[in-house]
Structures are given as C-alpha cells and as structure tokens.
Amino acid sequence: MRIDIITVLPELLKSPFEASILKRAIEAGLVEVHFHNLRDYTSDRYKSIDGTQFGGGAGMVMMVEPIDKCISALKSERNYDEVIYMTPDGETLKQGIANQLSLKENIIILCGHYKGVDQRVRDHFITREISIGDYVLSGGELGAAVLCDAIIRLIPGVLGNETSALTDSFQDGLLAPPIYTKPREYKGWKVPELLFGGNFPEIERWREEQAYLRTKERRPDLLED
Ligand code: ADE
C-alpha cells in the first residue's frame, strides 16, 4: 500500500511514522508513506497557498491551484483508489472505514488548514471526507496521523500476532473484554480464577459475556444496530 499525504506542515506529521509499529511497517516494505509540501506546488514568489474568502468572513481559505498541481502530479504517476480530505465536517472515522481503506492500493490524504479548502477542491478532487471526531483541530495533520495509524496496523504482516487486530475493540462491534497478565495476585487483587482452568470454550464464553457487558455499560449505542 502507498499513502501520499499533502500538507503545509510535513514536520508536524513525520514523527508518528518514525517510531514503533508504523516505522517497522515502512521498513518492512509493507507500506510506503510520502509527504508532499503544498508550498512546493505554488507559482508566486511568496509561495502562497491561501487567500481571503470571497464574500467576506474571517479566516483564510486554501487555494485550489497548488492542490490541483500536487494531486495532478501524483495522479500522473499512478492511479489512486481514494483522495481523502481530513475535515471536521467529514464522516466520522470508525473501525469499518479503517478496515476498508487498509485494503486499498494507493490513497492520497489532503490535510486542511486555516478555514479549510476552496469548495472546488472538494467538488473536483476529493472522493471521501473524514473527520476523527466532533471537535476542531488546528489542521488535518493530526487527524491524518490517526487515520494512517488505524489503517496501517491492519495491513497483513504489520502486527506481530496476525490475529490480534481481529480481537481489537470494535472489530466485532463490541468493546474488548478485560485482559490480565502476571502475577496471578498483586496486593490482594486477583485474576479471575476461570482464566487458569484451561477450559478454553468456557474462557471464550466468559470473554464474550464480558465484552457484551462492558459495551452495554460504556457504549450502549454500539448495541443499537
Ligand atoms: N481538521 C480539523 N479538525 C478535524 C477533525 N476533527 N478531523 C479531521 N480533520 C480535522
């Protein structure tokens, strides 16, 4: 998989890809992540990427031309499955979206800034708009990092234990059950006895029940549909 990220602040985005699982995935060649600085696609001497709003109003708007040049240059090299715009008014990121996107070959992610982008960018280039939650960030970069992390960990071979992404919270529509490790007892706090019995069908039933109870208590909305 290849991810091209278009941003005015590449330095804000790079560090999540230089550590831990994302770094290993890149080093193993399971994913390529490329950063494109929008200012490299400007044509005036000030390297302008934004302008004031027609019709008046506070806040600067990202111009269509540098974005067009950048996206068109990428598209001339290969086909893209999705051109995603990170924006608080997009569809809210859910596990299912990450699952779908992890199956794609090439995607572009455009990070918004200031007030956002000229509507013509959204009308003519963007195939999908994603928000990471109902709050406003100062730019799309942190959202793009969250989206990339959620996608990349699902690519086969990225996580050590192939099954562990499948048992995440949300993968079966439920939150994950409680988990325990050594020691069996700490300060008098005990691990549930049944986990030591070796009765795996019983353990599985217990986990399913705990997942259901936890979901019912914390996120009843997930049980609605
Ligand atoms: N840009 C600003 N706020 C955002 C959000 N909540 N999600 C994605 N991109 C954003």
Side-chain angles (χ1 to χ4, degrees):
M1 173 177 208
R2 176 184 167 117
I3 304 176
D4 286 279
I5 306 179
I6 305 173
T7 167
V8 286
L9 285 171
E11 63 277 20
L12 182 60
L13 250 177
K14 284 188 175 158
S15 67
F17 299 92
E18 289 165 358
S20 180
I21 288 173
L22 300 191
K23 180 183 180 187
R24 264 193 283 128
I26 292 167
E27 284 175 352
L30 297 168
V31 62
E32 278 180 44
V33 182
H34 299 267
F35 302 95
H36 307 277
N37 191 335
L38 210 48
R39 291 202 193 273
D40 297 339
Y41 296 85
T42 51
S43 44
D44 66 323
R45 53 194 280 239
Y46 303 107
K47 296 189 181 290
S48 316
I49 47 150
D50 58 342
T52 54
Q53 268 189 73
F54 284 136
M60 302 296 275
V61 179
M62 290 169 72
M63 296 190 298
V64 63
E65 186 181 347
I67 296 172
D68 177 12
K69 283 187 172 154
C70 184
I71 292 177
S72 299
L74 290 170
K75 283 185 172 172
S76 71
E77 299 286 330
R78 66 196 67 75
N79 291 324
Y80 285 90
D81 303 295
E82 297 279 7
V83 182
I84 297 164
Y85 174 49
M86 300 308 300
T87 177
D89 57 2
E91 60 180 323
T92 307
L93 179 59
K94 297 272 166 57
Q95 189 62 45
I97 299 177
N99 292 351
Q100 285 169 12
L101 293 175
S102 72
L103 301 172
K104 305 289 183 192
E105 201 66 44
N106 301 311
I107 63 174
I108 292 174
I109 303 177
L110 171 65
C111 303
H113 249 269
Y114 315 109
K115 261 272 173 258
V117 297
D118 188 304
Q119 181 59 38
R120 290 167 292 185
V121 170
R122 301 171 76 159
D123 293 343
H124 299 287
F125 295 107
I126 300 301
T127 61
R128 192 154 194 174
E129 303 190 330
I130 296 178
S131 162
I132 63 160
D134 289 344
Y135 40 81
V136 179
L137 303 168
S138 51
E141 282 75 11
L142 297 177
V146 167
L147 176 62
C148 286
D149 186 299
I151 294 172
I152 291 171
R153 60 191 295 286
L154 296 172
I155 297 172
V158 170
L159 293 186
N161 178 352
E162 280 285 353
T163 63
S164 64
L166 296 175
T167 57
D168 286 339
S169 278
F170 303 114
Q171 278 301 11
D172 54 4
L174 295 177
L175 302 182
I179 51 175
Y180 299 90
T181 186
K182 307 173 281 221
R184 286 173 75 130
E185 185 171 339
Y186 181 73
K187 292 185 173 172
W189 306 328
K190 293 197 174 86
V191 173
E193 201 55 44
L194 123 163
L195 295 174
F196 308 117
N199 183 340
F200 296 107
E202 188 191 18
I203 292 173
E204 200 41 46
R205 268 198 308 279
W206 178 84
R207 286 185 172 146
E208 281 167 15
E209 186 191 42
Q210 291 295 315
Y212 175 77
L213 291 173
R214 188 172 266 197
T215 309
K216 193 167 154 213
E217 185 184 306
R218 299 182 181 193
R219 292 292 306 277
D221 57 298
L222 294 176
L223 298 173
E224 270 159 27
D225 34 51

